[in-house]
């Protein structure tokens, strides 16, 4: 049965003339024992909620997963799909892609991401079980990781978090083959992996990864321990390839026809490419159907559960937005307008969360050790702790990389809507996972506070200037920068409603005035940009701004009016949503008058809205260490400078205006 995995990997990579045969050939024995004797799954129902999760963190070895899905009976993974490995439109892309291939639990390839995402899945399993009981939620998360996954820095954060939380239903199968692309791991690494994991609170052991009985004994022990488990499986990369096994040459290239013929002889495998003998195919089919009875018993338990428990469980898995969310947002907006009190949007965000946390019971928060700076803990939220997963708040520690990846795992697992906070400047640490959130269409909410030079004295190391531009270029990511408390509530509502899109909420440290003072139950941020102040007559200019700079633009428009220049002000909390609006709406909002962008960030990206005769008032480099009240004038982000730039440009573009002046 293991040989079937090996030859399918060889054949598919050879047919594509591209791929990584070495890892699938080396880990075939481990995978066979796991799938035939331990993994709780039903190949005919790959989305069964209480299935074990299998994560191929070493995603370059994707043919191992595709061969497992095919042989075990996943109906979508036909032999024709294996033949089309790495070809356009196939279900067998070069690295596993969630949402594209049934049976793939998460998109992997960037090393370490799968392992860290699996930690989130294991957290979600424990939290869901704490709410709905082990009769409905009781499964494990298994990870195949390689040397690359364990060298990447994200792995250090992830294993530390998992060990602290004692995620005993998480097991990492380490493909301990001693080879990377450059050659032996001894070239770059001398870590004692077992002691490293043990120091983080894991159980760890080393086995012969080609001995089925050792493999089975280690997997059995992992199921009974009270800690997460690392099993270092000593394997030979490219096992069975007579001249290339154990070398870097088998890692990421086809074996070649001669080597494959010799390997087939070594496996006593005389069959043509992609052909599996009937007895072996039948044995794999039985393994794939092994979980059907478990799934049927689980379904019976679900049907026999009290109606309220069934309803709550179904609602959690469906991921819908509770009816009370809209009421909560409207309530907050009315209260904010009536109070009329300037406050930081990070503070507004927490007040919104106090209401949303009650309205949306599966909303799960967290922060990378900045809870009271990000204002991310909602009223009544208790922390998750080792042995107690009934809470709804995760203290991720100073682990931005792992936090972002774990939130992906929580979202992928199902049952919860995760959000987590750090400073916007540290979105750089989250970016690989944020990119995967967008690629996988996952509703993950990133609460990024201290969003500009307005954070003040911490200086340029903490003041984001390029981060808005860098995040806005990620496809399928909503970057939202609200201008006041009202917009903050609306952006939170949009983030929750965006079931297939991650969101970044960029929130201020400094106080901002209430700009939307008129009663309005509509979510104006839903269109991405809208006219906050229209010109009284013909528009002479349009000021476009986001976040804390919208108030500056409004004051500048009032100042311009005293000088005979009639300017409209447009708030642009979410460019991505504005891009999706009909052309007529965008034209009406932007107008035909000269346009000027105002944002305490770099100009990159703004020119699409400004046109050839527009201007930009913002940052041109890094910030400085000083109070915010001193920084804005220092960098020219003032009403007076905006007014001067707009007046000069408008007068230069209009002879009539020059005469009037």
């Amino acid at each position: 049965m293991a040989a079937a995995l090996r030859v399918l990997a060889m054949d598919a990579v050879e047919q594509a003339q591209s791929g990584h045969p070495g890892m699938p050939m080396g880990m075939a024995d481990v995978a066979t024992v796991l799938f035939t004797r331990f993994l709780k799954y039903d190949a005919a129902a790959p989305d069964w909620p209480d299935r074990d999760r299998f994560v191929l963190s070493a995603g370059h070895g994707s043919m191992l997963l595709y061969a497992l899905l095919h042989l075990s009976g996943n109906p979508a993974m036909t032999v024709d799909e294996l033949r089309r490995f790495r070809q356009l439109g196939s279900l067998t892309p070069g690295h596993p892609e969630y949402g594209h291939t049934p049976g793939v639990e998460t998109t992997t390839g960037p090393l370490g991401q799968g392992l860290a995402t699996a930690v989130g899945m294991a957290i979600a399993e424990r939290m869901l079980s704490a709410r709905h009981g082990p009769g409905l939620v009781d499964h494990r998360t298994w990870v195949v990781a390689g040397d690359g996954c364990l060298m990447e820095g994200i792995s250090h954060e992830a294993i530390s978090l998992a060990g602290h939380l004692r995620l005993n239903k998480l097991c990492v199968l380490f493909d301990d083959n001693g080879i990377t692309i450059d050659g032996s791991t001894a070239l770059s690494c001398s870590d004692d992996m077992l002691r490293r994991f043990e120091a983080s609170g894991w159980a760890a052991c080393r086995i012969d990864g080609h001995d089925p009985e050792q493999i089975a004994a280690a997997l059995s022990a992992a199921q009974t321990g009270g800690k997460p488990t690392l099993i270092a499986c000593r394997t030979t990369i490219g096992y069975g390839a007579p001249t290339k096994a154990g070398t870097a040459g088998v890692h990421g290239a086809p074996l070649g026809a001669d080597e494959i013929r010799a390997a087939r002889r070594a496996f006593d495998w005389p069959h043509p490419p992609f052909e599996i003998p009937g007895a072996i195919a039948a044995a794999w089919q039985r393994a794939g159907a092994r979980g059907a009875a478990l799934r049927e018993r689980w379904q019976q338990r679900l049907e026999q559960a009290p109606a309220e428990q069934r309803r709550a469980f179904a609602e959690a898995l469906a991921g819908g937005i509770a009816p009370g969310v809209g009421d909560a947002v409207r309530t907050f907006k009315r209260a904010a307008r009536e109070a009329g009190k300037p406050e930081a949007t990070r503070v507004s965000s927490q007040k919104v969360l106090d209401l949303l946390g009650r309205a949306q019971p599966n909303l799960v928060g967290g922060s990378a050790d900045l809870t009271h700076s990000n204002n991310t803990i909602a009223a009544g939220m208790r922390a998750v702790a080792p042995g107690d997963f009934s809470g709804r708040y995760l203290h991720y520690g100073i682990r931005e990389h792992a936090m972002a990846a774990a939130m992906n795992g929580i979202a992928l697992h199902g049952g919860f809507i995760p959000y987590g906070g750090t400073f916007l400047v540290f979105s750089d640490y989250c970016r690989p996972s944020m990119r995967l959130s967008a690629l996988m269409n996952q509703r993950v909410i990133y609460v990024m506070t201290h969003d500009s030079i307005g954070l003040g004295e911490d200086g340029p190391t903490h003041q984001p200037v390029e981060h808005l531009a860098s995040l806005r270029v990620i496809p399928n990511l909503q970057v939202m920068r609200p201008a006041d408390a009202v917009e903050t509530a609306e952006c939170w509502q949009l983030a929750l409603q965006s079931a297939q899109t991650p969101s970044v909420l960029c929130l201020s440290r400094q106080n901002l005035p209430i700009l939307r003072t008129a009663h309005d139950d509509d979510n104006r941020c839903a269109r991405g940009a809208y006219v906050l102040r229209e010109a009284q007559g013909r528009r002479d200019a349009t000021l476009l701004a986001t976040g804390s700079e919208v108030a500056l633009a409004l004051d500048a428009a009032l100042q311009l009016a005293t000088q005979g220049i009639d300017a409209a002000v447009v708030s642009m909390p979410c460019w991505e949503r504005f891009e999706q609006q009909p052309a007529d709406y965008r034209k009406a909002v932007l107008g035909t008058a000269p346009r000027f962008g105002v944002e305490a960030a770099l100009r990159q990206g703004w020119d699409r809205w400004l046109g050839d005769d527009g201007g930009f008032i913002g940052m041109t480099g890094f910030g400085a260490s000083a109070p915010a009240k001193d920084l804005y004038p220092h960098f020219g982000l003032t009403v007076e400078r905006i007014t001067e730039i707009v007046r000069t440009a408008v007068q230069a573009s209009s002879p009539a205006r020059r005469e009037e002046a």
Side-chain angles (χ1 to χ4, degrees):
M1 293 174 77
L5 295 174
R6 292 184 171 110
V7 295
L8 286 176
M10 292 190 307
D11 292 343
V13 172
E14 185 69 17
Q15 175 121 332
Q17 284 297 292
S18 174
H20 300 75
M23 191 281 275
M25 296 174 71
M27 284 295 282
D29 294 306
V30 175
T32 300
V33 174
L34 175 64
F35 268 67
T36 59
R37 297 173 61 177
F38 292 91
L39 190 73
K40 184 170 75 169
Y41 77 114
D42 180 359
D47 58 352
W48 166 34
D50 201 37
R51 69 193 179 279
D52 283 359
R53 269 52 170 185
F54 175 72
V55 174
L56 188 70
S57 188
H60 56 276
S62 57
M63 266 310 303
L64 176 67
L65 178 53
Y66 300 150
L68 287 164
L69 293 176
H70 168 67
L71 290 170
S72 63
N74 184 301
M77 190 56 66
T78 65
V79 71
D80 288 338
E81 294 296 342
L82 301 187
R83 293 179 186 274
R84 297 200 302 143
F85 178 55
R86 290 191 162 212
Q87 304 308 301
L88 184 64
S90 75
L91 294 181
T92 48
H95 292 82
E97 296 180 19
Y98 173 82
H100 180 75
T101 305
V104 170
E105 300 286 5
T106 181
T107 298
T108 55
L111 294 176
Q113 281 286 333
L115 170 57
T117 300
V119 171
M121 293 178 177
I123 292 171
E125 188 276 339
R126 291 289 76 205
M127 292 180 68
L128 206 63
S129 182
R131 285 152 180 76
H132 303 286
L136 297 183
V137 185
D138 184 12
H139 53 266
R140 298 182 175 274
T141 304
W142 307 88
V143 184
V144 169
D147 288 289
C149 295
L150 301 190
M151 288 189 201
E152 289 286 358
I154 192 173
S155 72
H156 296 266
E157 297 184 13
I159 68 170
S160 175
L161 179 62
H164 168 72
L165 290 174
R166 298 202 298 268
L167 298 175
N168 65 311
K169 293 196 172 184
L170 173 65
C171 180
V172 173
L173 305 168
F174 169 32
D175 181 18
D176 186 14
N177 61 34
I179 295 293
T180 63
I181 292 175
D182 280 357
S184 169
T185 54
L187 293 170
S188 60
C189 186
S190 55
D191 295 1
D192 185 329
M193 288 299 180
L194 269 63
R195 293 179 66 185
R196 177 188 158 201
F197 274 74
E198 287 170 344
S200 290
W202 290 56
C205 66
R206 176 168 279 113
I207 63 170
D208 179 348
H210 300 302
D211 182 332
E213 294 312 311
Q214 284 193 37
I215 297 166
L219 295 178
S220 180
Q223 290 184 316
T224 59
K227 301 177 179 180
T229 300
L230 171 77
I231 303 174
C233 307
R234 182 68 77 182
T235 61
T236 300
I237 190 171
Y239 182 89
T243 68
K244 296 184 178 181
T247 73
V250 76
H251 168 80
L255 295 180
D258 291 342
E259 190 81 358
I260 289 176
R261 277 194 293 270
R264 274 179 148 76
R265 287 195 295 271
F267 299 142
D268 191 22
W269 194 275
H271 315 290
F274 300 102
E275 182 178 305
I276 306 298
I280 296 174
W284 269 111
Q285 291 282 332
R286 287 194 297 273
R290 183 174 51 87
L294 293 174
R295 180 175 61 83
E296 290 168 1
R297 287 198 291 273
W298 175 86
Q299 187 66 43
Q300 291 172 0
R301 290 195 299 275
L302 177 63
E303 293 170 355
Q304 293 167 2
E308 178 59 24
Q309 184 182 14
R310 291 199 310 273
R311 182 197 61 77
F313 186 64
E315 287 181 355
L317 292 183
I321 301 305
V325 165
D327 292 337
V329 169
R330 286 187 289 272
T331 297
F332 176 84
K333 287 166 60 175
R334 284 194 294 271
R337 290 190 190 100
E338 290 169 3
K341 178 184 176 183
E343 66 182 15
T345 52
R346 64 171 178 155
V347 175
S348 304
S349 174
Q350 176 153 23
K351 292 179 179 178
V352 176
L353 277 171
D354 289 345
L355 299 175
L356 294 179
R358 291 193 288 269
Q360 189 72 41
N362 64 340
L363 189 61
V364 172
S367 172
D369 199 53
L370 291 168
T371 293
H372 301 296
S373 291
N374 300 145
N375 295 83
T376 42
I377 190 164
M381 274 192 175
R382 292 186 302 103
V384 169
D388 182 3
F389 291 87
S390 61
R392 283 203 289 158
Y393 194 81
L394 288 153
H395 289 286
Y396 287 104
I398 308 158
R399 304 184 183 102
E400 291 91 351
H401 295 278
M403 176 184 72
M407 288 197 295
N408 281 340
I410 292 170
L412 287 162
H413 180 278
F416 300 102
I417 301 172
Y419 70 87
T422 187
F423 293 165
L424 180 58
V425 75
F426 300 139
S427 63
D428 287 335
Y429 290 162
C430 304
R431 188 181 177 89
S433 300
M434 296 170 80
R435 184 175 187 271
L436 287 176
S437 301
L439 182 60
M440 295 189 290
N441 300 105
Q442 292 303 298
R443 178 174 45 197
V444 177
I445 303 170
Y446 299 90
V447 180
M448 301 290 180
T449 68
H450 297 60
D451 70 342
S452 73
I453 60 171
L455 67 89
E457 293 85 346
D458 278 340
T461 62
H462 282 54
Q463 291 166 5
V465 293
E466 77 275 27
H467 296 76
L468 289 170
S470 71
L471 292 174
R472 284 168 176 156
V473 302
I474 299 177
N476 193 42
L477 178 68
Q478 292 185 130
V479 181
M480 298 190 278
R481 190 169 184 244
D484 67 358
V486 173
E487 284 196 358
T488 301
E490 292 182 347
C491 287
W492 260 111
Q493 183 178 24
L494 296 174
L496 288 174
Q497 291 174 342
S498 301
Q500 295 188 313
T501 304
S503 301
V504 185
L505 298 178
C506 304
L507 306 174
S508 75
R509 179 180 185 267
Q510 72 273 34
N511 289 337
L512 305 180
I514 297 292
L515 306 178
R516 295 261 298 277
T517 57
H519 178 71
D520 182 4
D521 279 343
D522 291 339
N523 190 322
R524 301 190 73 186
C525 290
R527 305 195 80 168
Y530 61 94
V531 178
L532 184 60
R533 177 194 187 274
E534 187 55 276
Q536 301 306 301
R538 175 177 64 89
R539 277 197 206 181
D540 295 316
T542 301
L543 302 181
L544 311 171
T546 75
S548 47
E549 288 69 66
V550 177
L552 287 176
L554 279 171
D555 288 345
L558 295 175
Q559 185 72 18
L560 286 164
T562 67
Q563 302 172 19
I565 296 175
D566 208 351
V569 176
V570 173
S571 178
M572 302 187 74
C574 184
W575 291 10
E576 295 77 21
R577 282 185 164 266
F578 187 53
E579 287 174 332
Q580 296 167 3
Q581 302 308 307
D584 289 347
Y585 177 79
R586 295 199 307 271
K587 290 177 182 177
V589 169
L590 295 174
T592 58
R595 299 189 287 272
F596 301 85
V598 187
E599 187 172 68
L602 299 181
R603 180 169 182 154
Q604 277 83 347
W606 269 98
D607 288 306
R608 80 183 82 170
W609 311 122
L610 303 181
D612 294 336
D613 56 352
F616 179 74
I617 302 96
M619 299 295 292
T620 58
F622 294 110
S625 180
K629 65 181 178 57
D630 298 328
L631 288 174
Y632 271 73
H634 177 74
F635 289 108
L637 282 157
T638 63
V639 171
E640 293 74 21
R641 183 164 179 262
I642 297 168
T643 302
E644 179 185 356
I645 289 173
V646 174
R647 183 185 65 243
T648 301
V650 169
Q651 291 173 350
S653 67
S654 169
R657 286 296 179 194
R658 284 200 298 271
E659 292 174 7
E660 290 172 9

